[in-house]
Amino acid sequence: MKLHTKILLGLGLGAAAGVAANAFAGGAPWVRWVSDNVANPVGQVFLRLLLMTVIPPVFASITLGVAGVGDLRKVGRIGAKTLAYFLASTAISVVIGLVLVNAFQPGAGMDPGMRQQLFETYRTQAEGLQSRMEVGFGIQTFVAMVPRNPVRAAADMDMLGVIFFSIVFGAALTLIPRARAEPMVKVVEALGDVIIKIIDFAMRLAPYGVFGLIFVVTARFGWELLGQLSAYVIVVVAGLAIHGIVTLSLLVRTLGGMNPLTFWKKARPVVITAFSTSSSNATLPTNIAVAEKDMGIKPEIAGFVLPLGATMNMNGTSLYEGVTVLFLAQVFGVDLNLGQQLVVVLLSVITAVGAAGVPGGSLPLIMVVLGSVGVPPEGIAIILGVDRILDMCRTVLNVSGDLTAAAFVARSEARAERRQRTVGAVPERPAA
Ligand code: ASP
């Protein structure tokens, strides 16, 4: 049996076992025991193996990418295209969410009793998040991208810090004599190869890891909650589905030059890993491997665009933020006019850039957006009970959005190179 079939099987069986355990023995001590002592440890080992492999390939691929491109102007051009694509696709995704939430008004008729009950149940959790609410986006955000200590940045999984250091490192490599740079390039290449092997090992554990991770979530999940918040959940999932099936597929076809069906088929391991881990960071190594091996995207592009995307490009998260803020505004009867909704769009895009690619990474930032438009931030308690399931779904869009960005940049760079080659070839032609 092929590995991805096995992983899918793990996902399906884990979900079914968890839902069954919840339905027939919800809250039973043995279910808890199995979750804590079997399913969760297996899932966590898988997750940790993936996380263990995040930083070295980011360093290796960006360093080699920049050193390989050689021309810093070209690096700048690739960076500019990447960022423009990130911002545009993220903005489209928030707008889809806002249109749906305005059209269906999922929060409008919420029963005040239920609102109170949800609020009480998840209040402590919301208070915990509040302490992590970060100050907005400003000049400090840019200053903080330059790491004081690259080793600490790596240890803290400060992805932007690692990316910055790697770009500078790669650029410096091109500026020293070739003979001196060569051994370092060889070491970094070997580092990248070794990590790919480790990811292979980790993926062999994936069917079991995925089973464990899904079992833990579904066995503990309060399924009744899904019913109570069904209108909200449906709007989020529908928005994500529309963005994936319509927007991303269209972007892949028009800008990436790929058949969307082929794209989604090849992206399957990425989708499954994102869904089961709820973490863009943990999915990054798989994403890089799929882009390079299965989609044939050049390593210097995949290795540059995807790590940036894992922290900066979160299509699913921004849509989720927009819908959640408007939903809670409806629940609390706060009327947001068009101008305020535009502020929500802007803040959702910005905070999605700032959210960490870990489970629930965007929650403290959603509280910031809520506060900025006059909705009580602690109101987030109302949706916390269904957050994990929605996190699984939005993370899928976050990482597949990155993959579409890589496809776009790869195609556009290939075109630029072809153009340059033809222009360069003109003077060589014999005069007629
Ligand atoms: N879990 C998301 C990710 O890693 C971030 C979030 O929306 O909470 O991409």
Side-chain angles (χ1 to χ4, degrees), residues 278-281 314 317 355-363 391 394-395 398:
S278 298
S279 164
S280 297
N281 286 358
M314 296 202 175
T317 291
V358 296
S362 55
L363 294 176
D391 199 358
R394 65 183 185 256
T395 307
N398 289 348

Side-chain angles (χ1 to χ4, degrees), residues 10 21 55 85 87 91 93 95 111-112 129 158 163 186 201 216 279 284 312-313 321 337 372 377 379 382 407 416:
I55 296 293
Y85 183 92
L87 288 179
S93 136
V95 171
D111 170 40
L129 284 173
D158 161 14
I163 291 172
K186 289 238 155 66
F201 296 151
V216 172
S279 164
L284 179 59
M312 300 183 79
N313 185 39
E321 289 192 21
N337 61 27
S372 337
I382 292 174

Side-chain angles (χ1 to χ4, degrees), residues 147-165:
R148 213 179 289 159
N149 173 346
V151 179
R152 154 91 27 99
D156 291 346
M157 285 244 191
D158 161 14
M159 209 73 95
L160 289 180
V162 174
I163 291 172
F164 184 87
F165 179 76

Side-chain angles (χ1 to χ4, degrees), residues 112-328:
M114 192 173 94
R115 182 177 100 183
Q116 197 52 29
Q117 192 198 336
L118 286 170
F119 200 61
E120 295 297 328
T121 320
Y122 292 96
R123 190 167 45 203
T124 345
Q125 231 171 307
E127 278 163 6
L129 284 173
Q130 203 150 17
S131 58
R132 282 174 32 210
M133 259 169 82
E134 287 159 32
V135 266
F137 184 84
I139 191 72
Q140 199 50 34
T141 319
F142 293 99
V143 175
M145 275 181 201
V146 183
R148 213 179 289 159
N149 173 346
V151 179
R152 154 91 27 99
D156 291 346
M157 285 244 191
D158 161 14
M159 209 73 95
L160 289 180
V162 174
I163 291 172
F164 184 87
F165 179 76
S166 315
I167 293 177
V168 176
F169 195 84
L173 263 183
T174 63
L175 299 176
I176 62 173
R178 216 201 179 113
R180 312 275 291 181
E182 204 89 315
M184 182 49 102
V185 170
K186 289 238 155 66
V187 168
V188 179
E189 272 170 357
L191 176 71
D193 291 349
V194 170
I195 293 296
I196 294 214
K197 260 280 153 290
I198 301 183
I199 297 167
D200 269 355
F201 296 151
M203 288 317 275
R204 262 185 246 168
L205 190 66
Y208 313 99
V210 164
F211 181 101
L213 289 173
I214 296 294
F215 179 87
V216 172
V217 175
T218 48
R220 281 207 199 139
F221 194 69
W223 291 97
E224 334 63 80
L225 254 189
L226 212 53
Q228 288 165 359
L229 290 168
S230 59
Y232 161 71
V233 171
I234 291 172
V235 167
V236 173
V237 174
L240 293 175
I242 293 174
H243 187 65
I245 297 170
V246 181
T247 322
L248 291 186
S249 298
L250 275 177
L251 287 174
V252 158
R253 158 134 291 163
T254 51
L255 298 179
M258 253 173 135
N259 179 332
L261 278 181
T262 319
F263 173 84
W264 287 111
K265 223 182 196 164
K266 290 187 171 164
R268 214 156 30 182
V270 172
V271 169
I272 298 170
T273 313
F275 187 76
S276 46
T277 60
S278 298
S279 164
S280 297
N281 286 358
T283 313
L284 179 59
T286 316
N287 217 0
I288 295 182
V290 165
E292 292 179 4
K293 277 202 282 192
D294 301 331
M295 299 195 175
I297 296 175
K298 277 192 182 168
E300 66 246 38
I301 306 255
F304 182 79
V305 176
L306 297 174
L308 268 184
T311 51
M312 300 183 79
N313 185 39
M314 296 202 175
N315 289 186
T317 291
S318 61
L319 184 146
Y320 176 73
E321 289 192 21
V323 172
T324 303
V325 170
L326 258 84
F327 168 74
L328 291 174

Side-chain angles (χ1 to χ4, degrees), residues 6-16 207 210-211 214 272 275-276 392:
K6 274 197 204 162
I7 301 179
L8 262 182
L9 208 63
L11 188 74
L13 290 178
V210 164
F211 181 101
I214 296 294
I272 298 170
F275 187 76
S276 46
M392 292 160 53

Side-chain angles (χ1 to χ4, degrees), residues 333-406:
V334 179
D335 211 10
L336 297 182
N337 61 27
L338 196 64
Q340 286 164 312
Q341 294 208 17
L342 277 179
V343 173
V344 173
V345 171
L346 205 69
L347 287 179
S348 299
V349 172
I350 292 173
T351 50
V353 172
V358 296
S362 55
L363 294 176
L365 295 159
I366 295 183
M367 295 176 81
V368 174
V369 184
L370 286 170
S372 337
V373 290
V375 181
E378 58 285 4
I380 200 169
I382 292 174
I383 53 101
L384 280 186
V386 290
D387 179 67
R388 183 55 190 245
I389 294 275
L390 296 178
D391 199 358
M392 292 160 53
C393 303
R394 65 183 185 256
T395 307
V396 168
L397 270 290
N398 289 348
V399 296
S400 35
D402 301 342
L403 213 43
T404 64

